[in-house]
Amino acid sequence: MAKTLAAARSILYLGRGINYPVALEGALKMKELSYIHAEGYPAGEMKHGPIALIEKGVPAIFIAPIDSLHEKILSNIEEVKARGGRVIAVTDSPAAVLERADDVIVVPSTHPVFVPFLTTVPLQLLAYHVAVLRGCNVDQPRNLAKSVTVE
């Protein structure tokens, strides 16, 4: 999957509810490590801007576990697919997204409050592998300080 994202110019990360911060973290790591433009956005607000960025082949990574918002995230996935976007779903139920997603990252099922812990790690690893494939120095990303030295 990292090989297919290494040439991307932009990646959209989408999540609902507690999964929105996971989308932000995934996008942040992709930007920091691979220097690919990445945006995290609440999936419920997709029609207020990010949908305009979706065109054929643009990757959209959805955090889509089985939860109370699952049907709504499936609707967002359909909107991206209808515009030719490439859907990558991070889910604990691959059967629920298999027909809609181009790629699936499967995480174990757990209590809803713990889902962010399980969905963040594969997004961080994905960013790492994309960065390595692009020849980026993952140990010393450019323009980033590991500690704050000034106030």
Side-chain angles (χ1 to χ4, degrees):
M1 193 177 308
K3 288 178 184 176
T4 65
L5 292 175
R9 293 183 53 223
S10 184
I11 302 172
L12 188 60
Y13 290 75
L14 297 147
R16 284 180 169 267
I18 196 170
N19 299 306
Y20 167 52
V22 176
L24 291 174
E25 170 65 11
L28 177 65
K29 288 300 172 251
M30 189 61 76
K31 283 185 266 202
E32 288 179 338
L33 295 178
S34 71
Y35 316 130
I36 294 173
H37 173 258
E39 293 288 332
Y41 219 79
E45 301 294 319
M46 196 169 78
K47 288 188 177 181
H48 300 286
I51 197 81
L53 301 173
I54 301 297
E55 57 187 31
K56 186 171 174 50
V58 170
I61 299 176
F62 286 88
I63 295 76
I66 299 295
D67 60 11
S68 62
L69 298 169
H70 188 71
E71 288 301 317
K72 291 183 178 191
I73 201 88
L74 289 178
S75 176
N76 296 126
I77 288 171
E78 292 290 341
E79 290 178 47
V80 169
K81 287 299 286 184
R83 287 159 179 81
R86 177 172 169 228
V87 172
I88 299 169
V90 180
T91 186
D92 58 350
S93 180
V97 296
L98 202 54
E99 291 183 16
R100 296 173 174 97
D102 297 297
D103 291 294
V104 178
I105 297 172
V106 181
V107 296
S109 294
T110 188
H111 189 279
V113 300
F114 298 121
V115 168
F117 295 106
L118 296 177
T119 53
T120 298
V121 174
L123 295 180
Q124 292 171 333
L125 289 170
L126 184 61
Y128 169 84
H129 289 289
V130 169
V132 168
L133 288 168
R134 289 171 59 96
C136 301
N137 183 346
V138 294
D139 294 318
Q140 292 184 322
R142 68 179 178 214
N143 303 325
L144 293 179
K146 292 291 182 180
S147 63
V148 178
T149 57
V150 295
E151 289 187 28

